[in-house]
Amino acid sequence: MSAKELRKARKEARKKEKEEKRKLKEQRKNQLPEVGGAMRVIGNLATSLKRVGIQYNEDFGTMLPGYMDSTRVLGANIKNGNPGFGFIFGYQPDTNWINRFGAKGLLSTDSLVSAMIQQRYSQRLNITAQLSPFRDLNIDLNIDKSFSKQYSELYKDTSATDNVGLTRLNPYAMGSFSISYISYQTMFTKFDPNVISETFKQFESNRLILSQRLAKLNPYQSGAIDADGYYKGYGRYAQDVVIPSFLAAYGKKDPGSVKLFKNSNPNIRSNAFKGLLPRPNWTVTYNGLSKIPALEEIFSNVTIKHGYHSTLSMNSFNTALLFQDPLRLSFPSFYDTLTGNFVPFFLVPNITIQESFDPLIEVDMTFTNQLSVRAEFRKTRSLSLSLIDYQLAENRSTEMTFGFNWRKKGLPLLKNLKIGKKGMKLDNDVTFRFDFSVRDDATANSKLDQGTSFGTAGQKVIRFAPSIDYILNNRVSLTGSRSEERRVGKECSSRW
């Protein structure tokens, strides 16, 4: 190759190299940047959120009897502005507001006034969300909270007897509270109705830790300890000790950090149990197995389902008339002379946890030959703690269900039967169904510090229900079915 040809070849090579670099630069310019592992996971989670719904409702109401001013326009006296635009547009008065209102002479001082000031409040929170981390997998989440409270008091002029004037008499509050909860951590422990469970023993031992925690927080507690090791005022049956101990044991939480309740009621919206936060419950559904090439010729649809739902509730609570907090420290100071415990602001007679895996696992399969098969396993538990007799009622239930449904088209059910002159054959659709279930229930009662547990109820329920449907035409069908259920009671000494 001559020198001229060599220079020409080098020039062509450099030109080609520049062109390739230009194309590569242009390609990188249009290419999205690569995302690292952590950012990719966060991005996938963000895009998996398909739907979110938040519903929050509040309802207020106040009835203020004995109002002495006029309500001319929009419920107000335009000249002096009473009772105030805040009250007109929904402000719920607290104790200080009512005291100032009475001091202005806007509430009746007539000794015959006997109607009580009444206030109500209800709160409801519901959050729903649906996630789809990958195709055919759906996760539905649900968070619930409800709280309601009613308050009443008699605001009356008592000058005739004590020369005090308007006085607040018989303040009383009551209400209810419930949240979605999680406590499955102890749901699968060994259960014998006639033997005290390890969880219940943990519940009993947690009380000493809670007694110490509360005594250190309460300024009215002097540090005195009773003979049984519990701090004075926070004994083994004190409500403020028992409820957190119960929640820590059955939720498998640290008794040293479990949330405590407040002992105050500054206004109608205040919630002494707000430390208990609602937890998400869930339902998981996957229906992608039938799309696997090896299975799509066998199944037309396969659905796998799992769900968990739980509720913690206090169906009623009410104020304790003997509660005292002279320094307004939000702690009780008055000892009950019968029990030796501090009297809390709210009395809770019962607390309940109801939870269920509904289902723990469910498989629903539809074959290509029109056969449908469903198998399901459910597990439920109910815990009801009485603060009256300090007894825990625990109910557990398991249920297994199996069923199939088979539809056959053009089946000659009765070959020798002819209908009409032309002898029409009965070869229409027929559907066979069969359902079978076994449910096992047991209830045990355990009482604090008694060292015994005993079964109070239990049964095994077996049910099967076959049926057949035959379609004659669009208007006439034949159905034959049978349903049988057998119940077997349990002895109190039997294991479950």
Side-chain angles (χ1 to χ4, degrees):
M1 181 182 291
S2 64
K4 184 178 181 179
E5 290 175 341
L6 183 60
R7 285 194 300 271
K8 185 177 180 181
R10 289 176 178 174
K11 186 176 180 180
E12 290 292 335
R14 286 194 298 269
K15 185 177 180 180
K16 186 177 181 180
E17 185 179 356
K18 288 181 179 179
E19 184 65 23
E20 289 179 352
K21 287 182 179 180
R22 187 188 65 80
K23 289 182 178 179
L24 183 60
K25 186 177 180 180
E26 190 70 24
Q27 185 179 359
R28 288 177 177 175
K29 185 178 179 181
N30 297 326
Q31 187 177 10
L32 293 173
E34 291 188 3
V35 181
M39 292 300 296
R40 184 176 298 174
V41 171
I42 295 174
N44 290 338
L45 289 175
T47 56
S48 68
L49 186 60
K50 302 302 181 184
R51 173 179 54 82
V52 176
I54 301 177
Q55 185 177 8
Y56 181 76
N57 297 320
E58 282 190 334
D59 178 56
F60 297 91
T62 297
M63 187 179 73
L64 203 60
Y67 179 59
M68 301 300 293
D69 210 334
S70 60
T71 55
R72 297 180 179 179
V73 180
L74 296 176
N77 185 337
I78 302 300
K79 293 182 179 181
N80 54 32
N82 290 324
F85 287 100
F87 184 81
I88 293 172
F89 289 104
Y91 172 74
Q92 303 302 306
D94 57 11
T95 299
N96 294 328
W97 190 95
I98 295 175
N99 288 338
R100 291 194 301 268
F101 209 64
K104 293 179 181 179
L106 296 174
L107 294 179
S108 175
T109 58
D110 192 326
S111 60
L112 297 179
V113 173
S114 59
M116 304 187 77
I117 295 175
Q118 296 183 5
Q119 290 184 297
R120 73 174 192 279
Y121 173 69
S122 66
Q123 178 192 63
R124 175 69 190 273
L125 172 67
N126 176 253
I127 301 175
T128 58
Q130 186 180 71
L131 292 85
S132 184
F134 52 85
R135 187 178 177 182
D136 300 319
L137 175 66
N138 292 318
I139 303 174
D140 294 296
L141 302 176
N142 183 74
I143 296 176
D144 265 313
K145 176 186 176 182
S146 65
F147 172 69
S148 65
K149 187 165 67 173
Q150 298 82 41
Y151 177 79
S152 64
E153 67 177 11
L154 182 61
Y155 198 49
K156 191 177 180 67
D157 187 357
T158 58
S159 301
T161 57
D162 56 15
N163 200 29
V164 173
L166 287 170
T167 307
R168 317 180 74 89
L169 303 172
N170 302 327
Y172 186 77
M174 60 182 297
S176 63
F177 174 73
S178 71
I179 55 172
S180 54
Y181 199 61
I182 293 178
S183 56
Y184 66 84
Q185 298 90 332
T186 57
M187 193 175 180
F188 295 92
T189 56
K190 185 179 179 181
F191 180 64
D192 184 340
N194 301 293
V195 177
I196 298 177
S197 67
E198 292 300 320
T199 308
F200 190 81
K201 291 178 181 178
Q202 184 63 49
F203 167 30
E204 291 182 317
S205 63
N206 284 348
R207 294 176 296 167
L208 194 59
I209 300 174
L210 266 299
S211 175
Q212 182 180 7
R213 277 186 65 191
L214 289 162
K216 290 181 177 180
L217 293 172
N218 190 344
Y220 298 113
Q221 216 284 340
S222 60
I225 302 177
D226 292 330
D228 58 0
Y230 286 85
Y231 282 76
K232 184 175 177 59
Y234 292 111
R236 61 180 67 237
Y237 300 121
Q239 176 183 288
D240 288 344
V241 170
V242 172
I243 295 180
S245 301
F246 166 70
L247 297 179
Y250 284 87
K252 215 163 189 179
K253 299 175 183 177
D254 180 12
S257 60
V258 67
K259 296 294 183 181
L260 304 177
F261 301 152
K262 290 191 173 183
N263 281 275
S264 62
N265 187 39
N267 56 62
I268 189 64
R269 296 183 62 180
S270 63
N271 181 1
F273 315 106
K274 65 180 181 180
L276 296 174
L277 300 178
R279 309 287 177 157
N281 296 166
W282 61 85
T283 300
V284 181
T285 306
Y286 180 66
N287 55 7
L289 289 179
S290 59
K291 298 176 183 178
I292 299 175
L295 300 176
E296 62 182 1
E297 295 183 359
I298 303 174
F299 302 101
S300 60
N301 182 61
V302 178
T303 301
I304 300 176
K305 188 176 180 182
H306 162 77
Y308 174 79
H309 296 88
S310 176
T311 302
L312 183 150
S313 59
M314 303 174 193
N315 293 327
S316 67
F317 60 83
N318 57 272
T319 51
L321 299 180
L322 296 179
F323 173 81
Q324 293 181 15
D325 181 13
L327 301 179
R328 298 187 178 181
L329 301 175
S330 297
F331 283 95
S333 66
F334 180 76
Y335 293 94
D336 188 325
T337 55
L338 294 178
T339 64
N341 294 320
F342 285 118
V343 177
F345 191 97
F346 286 111
L347 297 176
V348 180
N350 182 270
I351 182 169
T352 302
I353 297 176
Q354 292 182 325
E355 59 181 341
S356 63
F357 282 99
D358 51 352
L360 182 62
I361 183 69
E362 176 186 334
V363 181
D364 196 339
M365 301 174 290
T366 302
F367 294 80
T368 54
N369 63 353
Q370 300 299 312
L371 173 65
S372 298
V373 178
R374 183 176 66 89
E376 180 185 71
F377 180 74
R378 292 174 176 261
K379 192 172 183 67
T380 64
R381 179 175 69 166
S382 174
L383 301 167
S384 181
L385 176 64
S386 170
L387 276 299
I388 305 299
D389 58 2
Y390 306 100
Q391 185 169 254
L392 175 67
E394 180 174 0
N395 174 270
R396 293 201 189 188
S397 175
T398 59
E399 183 176 11
M400 293 177 287
T401 302
F402 173 79
F404 72 84
N405 184 321
W406 181 55
R407 182 181 179 186
K408 179 66 176 176
K409 295 183 178 180
L411 181 68
L413 189 61
L414 300 173
K415 294 183 179 180
N416 299 325
L417 180 62
K418 296 181 179 181
I419 299 177
K421 296 180 179 179
K422 297 182 179 180
M424 182 181 67
K425 296 181 179 180
L426 294 177
D427 57 355
N428 295 318
D429 295 354
V430 64
T431 303
F432 298 95
R433 293 187 181 88
F434 179 79
D435 292 306
F436 174 79
S437 67
V438 178
R439 191 179 81 244
D440 210 338
D441 302 328
T443 302
N445 280 22
S446 304
K447 199 168 184 179
L448 287 172
D449 303 317
Q450 297 300 306
T452 59
S453 177
F454 54 93
T456 57
Q459 62 178 350
K460 180 176 286 187
V461 181
I462 303 173
R463 180 181 179 273
F464 63 94
S467 67
I468 182 172
D469 294 332
Y470 189 79
I471 301 175
L472 291 175
N473 53 45
N474 292 335
R475 297 183 178 181
V476 181
S477 64
L478 299 177
T479 301
S481 64
R482 173 184 173 85
S483 178
E484 186 170 337
E485 186 176 285
R486 295 186 179 181
R487 298 174 180 265
V488 180
K490 289 187 175 183
E491 298 287 341
C492 290
S493 60
S494 65
R495 288 184 177 269
W496 183 81

